Amino acid sequence: MRLALGIEYDGTDFHGWQKLADCASVQAEVESALGFVANETVAVQCAGRTDAGVHARCQVVHFDTEAQRPMRGWMLGANARLPDAICVRWAVEVADDFHARYAARARRYRYRILNRTIRPALLHRYVAWERAPLDADAMHRAAQALLGEHDFSAFRAAQCQATHAQRDMQQIDVRRDDEEIIIDVRANAFLHHMVRNIVGSLVAIGRGEQPEAWMGELLHGRDRTVAGATAPPQALCFLGPLYPAEWGLPAEATL
């Protein structure tokens, strides 16, 4: 039997999603909790790995098991074993050929910037801080140059292990909500640090340090060394992947 789960987590105290030998990871906690419920070793595959400090609203994973439990039992049993920073939001049985990573047609991220003169206290684990006034409208206009299928080498981390940098940017929006600048991004897939590197360049435009046309120049130049700095991780949240309706997943994970 193959199951798919929707998982929410605060990534502050973890060294990312991926299981590591000597560091706390979300994957290790999830596999341990599910293994206890199943009474067998469980290995999960995720829709997209997140870096240290990055959060997720609806990470999707799948795993195979011989254990027979009601869906509510998988959720409640796992949540009873998981730390407070991680929870299973839903569980559904899926077809044997469903794959959390390869079946996804889109992935969505949100980046939040607190834009005021005083640093955050209550939100310091979930936002970046920029004291200089940012022009959200200019950032939004500049970001539209990234739409479509392109080589995103200019926004790719040096340690990225992807075989190529071609990605399809389906949507990117920048808006102001009171003191926050919110950047929503959707693509078929992302490169390592791609969203944070895009944000770093957009902030330079929002400050007025670079013209709006700079984003298009960076994209076509494909040179990471001349783009903006990598934005901090804590402000990034993986909103989740999207799948064709045929897989029968909850609405928040369905196209």
Side-chain angles (χ1 to χ4, degrees):
M1 179 173 64
R2 179 161 292 189
L3 299 181
L5 307 179
I7 299 176
E8 175 181 308
Y9 54 86
D10 178 332
T12 304
D13 298 326
F14 300 98
H15 288 260
W17 166 266
Q18 189 173 11
K19 184 164 56 178
L20 302 168
D22 55 353
C23 298
S25 71
V26 180
Q27 182 182 5
E29 295 288 352
V30 169
E31 289 182 346
S32 176
L34 291 173
F36 179 84
V37 177
N39 195 30
E40 64 184 18
T41 301
V42 168
V44 301
Q45 298 283 338
C46 73
R49 291 180 294 182
T50 52
D51 293 330
V54 176
H55 318 293
R57 188 172 74 182
C58 187
Q59 171 74 270
V60 174
V61 307
H62 81 263
F63 67 98
D64 295 324
T65 180
E66 297 297 324
Q68 297 295 319
R69 309 281 187 271
M71 295 302 111
R72 180 176 172 83
W74 286 108
M75 287 188 294
L76 297 183
N79 286 339
R81 304 288 296 185
L82 286 167
D84 291 343
I86 307 173
C87 74
V88 176
R89 294 181 51 190
W90 48 260
V92 296
E93 185 174 355
V94 289
D96 290 343
D97 57 345
F98 173 82
H99 195 288
R101 177 183 175 188
Y102 299 123
R105 294 293 173 266
R107 292 162 176 84
R108 300 161 297 156
Y109 281 90
R110 174 168 292 168
Y111 197 92
R112 298 168 62 195
I113 303 170
L114 184 66
N115 188 208
R116 69 184 191 192
T117 57
I118 304 301
R119 63 173 176 81
L122 290 177
L123 293 176
H124 75 278
R125 293 161 63 104
Y126 308 109
V127 299
W129 173 47
E130 176 58 48
R131 61 160 59 88
L134 296 177
D135 185 339
D137 292 335
M139 294 167 69
H140 176 78
R141 290 191 296 267
Q144 304 317 295
L146 305 180
L147 291 174
E149 189 169 343
H150 303 285
D151 183 319
F152 281 88
S153 293
F155 308 105
R156 176 182 189 173
Q159 63 270 41
C160 181
Q161 298 177 351
T163 56
H164 63 85
Q166 204 78 9
R167 296 293 185 269
D168 179 18
M169 182 68 75
Q170 301 169 356
Q171 178 183 354
I172 180 166
D173 296 313
V174 184
R175 60 186 171 88
R176 175 177 287 278
D177 183 2
D178 195 17
E179 294 181 323
E180 280 193 29
I181 303 293
I182 299 171
I183 303 168
D184 285 328
V185 184
R186 169 176 158 171
N188 66 326
F190 289 89
L191 301 164
H192 192 197
H193 288 177
M194 179 173 158
V195 177
R196 291 165 58 194
N197 291 338
I198 287 172
V199 170
S201 297
L202 288 175
V203 167
I205 292 170
R207 291 178 186 142
E209 298 170 353
Q210 297 288 348
E212 293 176 23
W214 190 52
M215 286 301 289
E217 295 169 4
L218 291 175
L219 178 68
H220 298 300
R222 303 180 184 178
D223 186 352
R224 174 70 192 105
T225 65
V226 299
T230 303
Q234 77 278 3
L236 185 61
C237 182
F238 181 36
L239 299 182
L242 294 171
Y243 301 88
E246 66 196 61
W247 297 115
L249 298 182
E252 67 177 333
T254 299
L255 287 166

